[in-house]
Amino acid sequence: MRKYFIIISVWIFTLSSFAQTKTDRMAWWKEAKFGLFIHWGVFSVPAGYLNGKPVHGDICDFSEWIMFNAKIPMAKYQSYAKQFNPVKFDADDWVKIAKEAGMKYIIITAKHHDGFAMFCSKVSKWNICDASSPFGRDPLKDLAVACTKYGMKLGFYYSQAQDWNNGGSVWGSYDGITLKSGSKWDVAQEFSMDNYIDQIAVPQIRELLKNYGDDIPSIIWWDTAFNMNQNRAEKIYKAVQQIKPGIIMNNRLGGDYNGDTETPEGFIPSKGYEGRDWETCMTMNDSWGYRLDDNNWKSTETLIRNLCDIASKGGNYLLNVGPTSEGQIPQPSIDRMAEIGKWLHVNGEAIYGSGPTKFGDEAGNFSSTEKDSKGKPKFIPSWVWRCTTKPGKIYLMIFQWPANHKFELSGLQSKVTKAYLLADGKILEAKQIASGVTITLPEYAPDKYVSIVCLEI
Ligand code: GLC
């Protein structure tokens, strides 16, 4: 009997310490809520244009896909490196812009699908120090130093599967042995995916994990697991675990690795992901990488409301910028980030370290008649208010100020001991009624984007 008791206790202890480890690993990330994505590389040189004409693609118009979309031969594409000279790049500036925006982490493309390493790599000459870029130094080093200085977490995006210059995979159909026609566009592209994994991907990932200090990177962000079978994914996974077992990884490695985080791209899931951490990554305009003709900027209001929506569903917001080849973050992005930062300075308490809503229906509901593209009931979002929580507190994030200045919150069982605005601390009357509570608001919303009422319960 005693023996079984000991075995079971050891087993429970092992399991709980494992669960604890994951909780510990994710703690800062869950607290952070808001991060900066940076898509930067040689693709910022053509910036979506070839021979003076805009390039569009079947899959996407993203500027970082130009080599694929326009089927640019390797030699021609590689000549763009000569023009990649980010003389205006200042890592301190970038990190300060992110910090002032209220962002807590940065993920930068260390290598995108074009295979260009934005770091000094001994593994392939197709990198910022050895290709013909006049810049000739490692911008990730600068960023690592600046992030350490400003207390910003730094993560690396690495395109582990697709690599159009080093013999990795290419988006297209694949029968397990050869890529079907239409995928490959230059005989110089070598498609031994296994050689690429062994000789390029794994060694470069080691470089990235080893060369930037103990705490950098904190995250490794995989992408497009095209042709990543279990064997290939496992090689990468093992290499990472050997060097930085505590690192946070997303769900895009491939094989049967689910990673730590779900990665809804460009959208906010209707109800979040039950039992999973998640992060919506999103562009501020349309393209991830800098694109000359992309002026379709989301408004600051949309971005702030997205952040509220995401936090209310328990997720993180990874908002993207695409710097130019000179190393400048586009001004419209800087302007929006500064505005978000001002808003967070006043209202951040409702975002950082918050838990999801206690209610749920305020985000919208599934239609009983309309269907989405998959034939499932369509989610109809509502943009009136959102809610986040902390122990003893409920934050009501009000998008539409009620005309009668009364905010009716139904379904709240707990007694409200105090209600006030985060904007100015003004105490509000909260009247308990049978169905919940009615809060009397001032005539005008104190914040032009989103005003927040804190309820202490
Ligand atoms: C995609 C694209 C890519 C971008 C990424 C960001 O899958 O291939 O260009 O980096 O999404 O989430």
Side-chain angles (χ1 to χ4, degrees), residues 140-176:
L140 303 192
K141 278 252 149 82
D142 293 15
L143 274 172
V145 171
C147 283
T148 307
K149 177 164 154 198
Y150 293 104
M152 178 75 68
K153 297 273 186 187
L154 180 61
F156 295 147
Y157 167 111
Y158 187 88
S159 174
Q160 81 285 9
Q162 290 205 76
D163 188 321
W164 308 324
N165 278 281
N166 288 305
S169 196
V170 174
W171 194 271
S173 58
Y174 182 67
D175 61 10

Side-chain angles (χ1 to χ4, degrees), residues 117-123 127-130 136-139 207 211-212:
M118 289 290 286
F119 54 100
C120 297
S121 172
K122 296 205 170 69
V123 175
N127 76 71
I128 190 155
C129 302
D130 297 315
R137 71 170 203 274
D138 184 340
E207 292 181 321
N211 294 349
Y212 299 87

Side-chain angles (χ1 to χ4, degrees), residues 91-312:
D92 260 53
D93 268 3
W94 285 16
V95 177
K96 275 196 269 180
I97 289 170
K99 195 164 172 113
E100 275 159 29
M103 290 159 158
K104 306 289 183 188
Y105 60 105
I106 294 177
I107 313 281
I108 184 165
T109 48
K111 186 196 83 163
H112 206 270
H113 308 330
D114 66 1
F116 187 69
M118 289 290 286
F119 54 100
C120 297
S121 172
K122 296 205 170 69
V123 175
S124 158
K125 291 260 174 263
W126 182 226
N127 76 71
I128 190 155
C129 302
D130 297 315
S132 43
S133 162
F135 190 62
R137 71 170 203 274
D138 184 340
L140 303 192
K141 278 252 149 82
D142 293 15
L143 274 172
V145 171
C147 283
T148 307
K149 177 164 154 198
Y150 293 104
M152 178 75 68
K153 297 273 186 187
L154 180 61
F156 295 147
Y157 167 111
Y158 187 88
S159 174
Q160 81 285 9
Q162 290 205 76
D163 188 321
W164 308 324
N165 278 281
N166 288 305
S169 196
V170 174
W171 194 271
S173 58
Y174 182 67
D175 61 10
I177 303 162
T178 43
L179 274 150
K180 298 239 173 82
S181 58
S183 305
K184 175 179 167 182
W185 60 88
D186 182 349
V187 282
Q189 285 168 317
E190 186 221 318
F191 293 117
S192 166
M193 176 95 177
D194 288 302
N195 285 351
Y196 157 77
I197 294 286
D198 294 338
Q199 291 163 26
I200 307 286
V202 168
Q204 279 194 336
I205 290 162
R206 286 181 189 281
E207 292 181 321
L208 286 170
L209 294 172
K210 281 184 167 167
N211 294 349
Y212 299 87
D214 289 346
D215 300 325
I216 296 176
S218 312
I219 298 176
I220 187 133
W221 217 95
W222 313 115
D223 201 9
T224 62
F226 193 64
N227 288 336
M228 286 298 285
N229 56 29
Q230 183 61 19
N231 181 41
R232 292 168 184 157
E234 190 174 318
K235 285 180 178 170
I236 293 181
Y237 183 81
K238 283 191 171 154
V240 174
Q241 291 308 308
Q242 255 177 18
I243 304 169
K244 283 202 161 71
I247 204 164
I248 295 173
M249 281 193 245
N250 71 3
N251 64 343
R252 297 188 182 183
L253 175 58
D256 61 9
Y257 296 101
N258 294 328
D260 300 302
T261 59
E262 295 296 311
T263 51
E265 181 171 320
F267 71 95
I268 303 172
S270 49
K271 302 274 173 189
Y273 293 84
E274 188 70 42
R276 287 278 288 163
D277 290 320
W278 60 277
E279 175 188 63
T280 281
C281 51
M282 199 182 274
T283 51
M284 261 191 246
N285 45 356
D286 287 332
S287 175
W288 299 96
Y290 175 67
R291 193 176 165 115
L292 267 170
D293 55 6
D294 184 1
N295 292 307
N296 191 23
W297 300 100
K298 294 172 185 70
S299 69
T300 304
E301 180 178 89
T302 298
L303 299 173
I304 291 178
R305 292 182 178 192
N306 283 347
L307 178 60
C308 296
D309 189 24
I310 290 168
S312 81

